[in-house]
Amino acid sequence: MHLETLAVHAAQRPDPATGAIAPPISLSTTFERDPSGEYPRGFEYSRDSNPNRAALEEAMALLEGGEAAAAFSSGMAAATAVFQALAPGDRVVAPNDAYMGVGKILRDVFLPWGLDVAFVDMDDLAQVREALETPTRLVWIETPSNPLLKVTNIAAVVALAKASGAAVACDNTWCTPIFQRPLDLGVDLVVHATTKYIGGHHDVLGGMVVSKSATPLFKRIRELQIQAGAVPSPFEAWLALRGLRTLPLRMRAHADHAMALAGFLDAHPAVELVHYPGLPTHPGHDIAARQMRAFGGMLSFQVKGGHDEAMAVAARVRLFTRATSLGGFESLIEHRASIEGPSTKTPVNLLRLSVGLEHPEDLCADLDQALRGQGRL
Ligand code: PLP
C-alpha cells in the first residue's frame, strides 16, 4: 500500500461505542477488569498504554515498516530510552554533528553513567570503520544532519555496523518515513521527534522509537517506556496522530518549497553558500538521491559577511518567524550558532530555515528583501 493511503488509514477505525470517525480522546488513566480479573479490551493503566497512544504507535510502525513502536513525551525522551536500554560499559558511535540535545545527553549524562561514546564524522566511512574496530553496541545516525545538512550513507554505515555486530539507530525526524525508510536499509531502530513534521503544527511535543522487529533491545525500550513513564498524554498522542494523517501531502509541499528556496538562495548575490541536499552541487546529493524520496523541508545558508550580517537578515524577515524548531506549517528562521552557545562549530553567518507551506514565491520575496537590506546591495 502507498504511504499516502497508509497515513490516512493506519489505525483509523470508527469508535466501536459511538461510531465517531474522529477518535475520541480517552482521558481515563485506568481501565476496567472483567469479573475474571482479565482486561479484555487490552488496556489496564494509561502509563502502560491507552487507546490514543496505541493508535499512534500502530500507525508509526506501519509507516516506517517496523514491527513495533513506543511513543514518548518528547524526541529527547525517546533518544534517552534508547541509550538507557544499553548497559554501562557499552560503546556507542555517534555523529560529531548529532542534534545538539543528543550530543549533550551523551556527553553530560551517559558518559558519566558509564557508556563509552566515540564521536565521528558519519559521512567519512573510514572514520566509522576505524571507530568500529573497538567492539560497539550501537551506532547512532541522523541524516541529513543539523544544521549543515550533511548526508550519511545509511546502507554503508549499516554494512559496517553489522560486520562488527553493532545495532544501528537512525533519527529520522527531518525526513519522516515519507522521504526515508531507514528500516528498509537495514537499520534496527528509527527514532523521531514527533514534535516536528509528524505533529506538523508547532503545538505538541512527542517522541517515538520504531523497531524493525521485537528484539531484546526494543523489549528493554518498551520496559523503560512503561516503567520510567516518559510518555505522551492521550491528547498529545491524538494531536500527533492527527498530524500524521496529512503528513505525505505536507512533506511534498515542504520539499518542493525548500527546493525552490535553495535554488533562489544559491543564485543570490548576498549568499555565500547554501546547504541543501537537493542541489546537485551538494556533496551528499548522490547519496541523498538514492536513499531519500525527496530532499526535505530543511535548509541552511551562509550570508556573505559574518555574525552581524546574518543577524541583520534574520531581523528583517517578515513572513518567516525567528524561532527554533522545525516541521510546522509556518516557516521559521534561526541563527543556529547563537542558540547552540559558545562551543558551537556552526558558522556564525549561518541561518537555518524550516520551510513552511506558504507560497514559495512569497518566501523568496521575503528573503530577498531581508538579504538586500537597506542599501546593502
Ligand atoms: N532529533 C532531532 C533531529 C531534532 O531536531 C530534535 C529537536 O529539535 C530532537 C531530536 C529532540 O526533540 P524534542 O525537542 O521533541 O525533544
Side-chain angles (χ1 to χ4, degrees):
M1 199 181 286
H2 292 88
L3 290 174
E4 289 75 5
T5 311
L6 262 186
V8 171
H9 288 281
Q12 171 65 17
R13 294 173 279 267
D15 176 42
T18 63
I21 299 295
I25 302 169
S26 297
L27 292 175
S28 187
T29 52
T30 190
F31 297 84
E32 188 189 23
R33 294 173 89 158
D34 75 6
S36 68
E38 300 300 311
Y39 289 95
R41 286 153 290 220
F43 299 106
E44 182 180 330
Y45 183 62
S46 66
R47 175 157 46 74
D48 300 357
S49 189
N50 60 66
N52 299 103
R53 197 169 98 207
L56 174 65
E57 290 172 342
E58 184 184 334
M60 282 296 295
L62 279 166
L63 278 175
E64 285 287 5
E67 218 169 74
F72 290 87
S73 53
S74 69
M76 286 310 300
T80 297
V82 173
F83 299 128
Q84 278 177 333
L86 308 180
D90 281 347
R91 177 177 160 90
V92 174
V93 172
N96 54 19
D97 60 349
Y99 165 64
M100 178 180 67
V102 167
K104 226 169 155 31
I105 47 160
L106 281 172
R107 269 186 288 269
D108 299 350
V109 177
F110 288 104
L111 270 174
W113 185 72
L115 286 187
D116 174 19
V117 186
F119 291 98
V120 300
D121 185 348
M122 219 28 102
D123 61 358
D124 179 350
L125 292 176
Q127 270 193 45
V128 180
R129 190 177 294 111
E130 194 186 323
L132 288 171
E133 279 166 14
T134 307
T136 297
R137 184 78 199 288
L138 182 80
V139 180
W140 181 273
I141 58 181
E142 185 189 317
T143 177
S145 73
N146 178 15
L148 289 175
L149 285 288
K150 285 163 72 180
V151 175
T152 297
N153 184 334
I154 300 176
V157 171
V158 165
L160 291 173
K162 298 290 146 180
S164 77
V168 181
C170 176
D171 184 327
N172 203 28
T173 299
W174 279 28
C175 289
T176 82
I178 307 308
F179 289 161
Q180 183 168 273
R181 297 229 310 178
L183 299 181
D184 294 347
L185 298 171
V187 162
D188 303 279
L189 297 172
V190 162
V191 182
H192 279 281
T194 53
T195 311
K196 315 296 176 179
Y197 287 108
I198 307 280
H201 295 73
H202 291 143
D203 57 9
V204 61
L205 278 178
M208 186 70 63
V209 181
V210 184
S211 184
K212 181 76 189 162
S213 54
T215 56
L217 181 60
F218 183 74
K219 284 190 186 136
R220 183 79 184 133
I221 291 166
R222 174 73 79 200
E223 264 169 33
L224 286 160
Q225 177 203 31
I226 291 173
Q227 305 306 338
V231 289
S233 70
F235 182 45
E236 289 162 332
W238 187 94
L239 278 173
L241 186 57
R242 185 172 71 161
L244 193 141
R245 300 296 180 208
T246 55
L247 182 69
L249 274 177
R250 286 188 287 107
M251 290 309 291
R252 186 57 63 191
H254 285 299
D256 287 351
H257 299 182
M259 185 65 108
L261 262 65
F264 167 77
L265 290 167
D266 202 36
H268 201 285
V271 171
E272 184 180 295
L273 189 58
V274 179
H275 304 278
Y276 185 64
L279 293 176
T281 48
H282 185 282
H285 175 74
D286 292 346
I287 298 166
R290 278 203 302 277
Q291 70 189 21
M292 297 168 74
R293 290 171 85 206
F295 299 103
M298 297 297 295
L299 67 88
S300 62
F301 65 101
Q302 291 173 243
V303 177
K304 277 187 186 156
H307 169 276
D308 293 354
E309 284 74 11
M311 290 301 269
V313 171
R316 280 193 288 262
V317 291
R318 295 176 193 141
L319 280 180
F320 283 83
T321 302
R322 285 175 297 282
T324 194
S325 202
L326 59 119
F329 57 86
E330 69 274 74
S331 292
L332 305 181
I333 189 166
E334 185 180 26
H335 184 253
R336 274 310 285 178
S338 50
I339 197 157
E340 289 175 355
S343 61
T344 182
K345 293 195 190 77
T346 297
V348 291
N349 62 343
L350 180 139
L351 294 170
R352 190 186 80 175
L353 304 181
S354 171
V355 182
L357 304 180
E358 304 91 335
H359 198 288
E361 284 173 16
D362 295 331
L363 295 175
C364 287
D366 189 28
L367 289 174
D368 191 40
Q369 66 78 23
L371 282 161
R372 286 179 190 280
Q374 266 178 331
R376 254 193 95 219
L377 283 178

